[in-house]
Amino acid sequence: MKLIGSYSSPYVRKVRMVLAEKGIACKLLPEDVWAADTKIQASNPLGKVPCLILDDGSQLYDSRVICEYLDHLSPANSLIPEEFPQRIQVRRWESLADGILDAAVLIRLEHTQREPAQRSEKWLARQRGKVLAGLGVMESDLGGREWCVAARITLADIALGCGLGWLDFRLPDLDWRADHPSLVRHYQRLSQRPSFASTVPKA
Ligand code: GSF
């Protein structure tokens, strides 16, 4: 099994954290999806990472499908609860954290992939509004809870941590810490885990 990805992608980090939490070995094959000569479409027609290559050569994407596959692969440290109400809550948290990232990535791409004259302030404000609204919901839903959903770490906490870590990495001016004390507390807690410390995003 091999993971095509990058050290900067928050979606790849989510998968890497799941691998680390579950103790599953998997080699990372670095791929720059923005390079002119990228071969990513041979593995994922959508041209995105992460993409998991299974031992029989078949491919899995996107990060949500890969995380579910990996959680199913080994019973160790289950990250997606079997019990349905908790399971759906974990998936909702993941969608929320990933959705914040989707908007944040669009903000970054507006700066890295477009000429200044093509940039739209209206579009940037729209995406920023999604990021801020999403952070607000995560802050109030987390409140004083120890973990997002269950009495242990789940994919919800991993997705949240990857989202906040990427905002630090690529959009530090957003200063998410300013108005979100519960998220700050939870992020500090997550930062102490080896799975988190060993996957900090880098260029
Ligand atoms: C998002 C993957 C993605 O946008 C997932 O796996 O959860 N919903 C998908 N990956 C980016 C890299 S990054 O911004 O993390 C990517 O591969 N973009 C290339 C492109 O052409 O959009």
Side-chain angles (χ1 to χ4, degrees):
M1 202 168 62
K2 291 182 180 125
L3 178 67
I4 306 179
S6 73
Y7 295 101
S8 57
S9 164
Y11 311 100
V12 175
R13 185 185 192 189
K14 188 159 53 109
V15 173
R16 293 172 68 214
M17 278 194 69
V18 167
L19 287 165
E21 288 288 340
K22 294 188 68 75
I24 300 172
C26 181
K27 191 175 167 79
L28 181 83
L29 304 177
E31 179 73 28
D32 177 0
V33 291
W34 299 106
D37 61 351
T38 180
K39 303 280 185 298
I40 186 63
Q41 270 181 315
S43 305
N44 178 354
L46 305 175
K48 296 186 181 196
V49 289
C51 176
L52 189 71
I53 310 293
L54 303 184
D55 290 342
D56 66 1
S58 59
Q59 308 96 0
L60 286 182
Y61 35 79
D62 62 2
S63 66
R64 295 182 212 187
V65 174
I66 297 172
C67 289
E68 179 156 355
Y69 175 80
L70 294 173
D71 198 42
H72 180 81
L73 206 58
S74 137
N77 301 330
S78 166
L79 296 168
I80 305 175
E82 284 295 327
E83 190 215 349
F84 191 68
Q86 282 198 344
R87 187 181 186 87
I88 286 297
Q89 280 314 309
V90 166
R91 297 330 293 253
R92 185 203 64 109
W93 269 98
E94 185 186 21
S95 291
L96 181 56
D98 281 10
I100 290 171
L101 275 171
D102 293 344
V105 166
L106 287 176
I107 292 175
R108 171 151 171 93
L109 294 183
E110 195 73 5
H111 289 101
T112 59
Q113 301 295 321
R114 277 189 197 273
E115 300 304 323
Q118 294 177 316
R119 260 171 230 153
S120 162
E121 287 306 323
K122 198 173 160 194
W123 180 250
L124 285 167
R126 183 179 172 88
Q127 302 311 325
R128 192 182 157 83
K130 292 176 198 282
V131 174
L132 296 179
L135 287 170
V137 170
M138 290 208 304
E139 171 71 18
S140 61
D141 285 3
L142 182 64
R145 301 172 63 87
E146 200 177 346
W147 300 104
C148 292
V149 177
R152 63 177 200 277
I153 190 169
T154 66
L155 185 57
D157 305 280
I158 290 175
L160 176 152
C162 291
L164 297 177
W166 197 82
L167 293 181
D168 272 348
F169 176 55
R170 291 299 197 200
L171 301 179
D173 292 350
L174 195 96
D175 193 15
W176 64 266
R177 285 180 174 75
D179 303 317
H180 306 98
S182 300
L183 296 182
V184 171
R185 171 187 54 81
H186 199 42
Y187 187 78
Q188 276 165 355
R189 198 148 176 265
L190 286 167
S191 302
Q192 286 156 18
R193 297 183 82 83
S195 65
F196 206 72
S198 64
T199 56
V200 170
K202 57 184 182 190

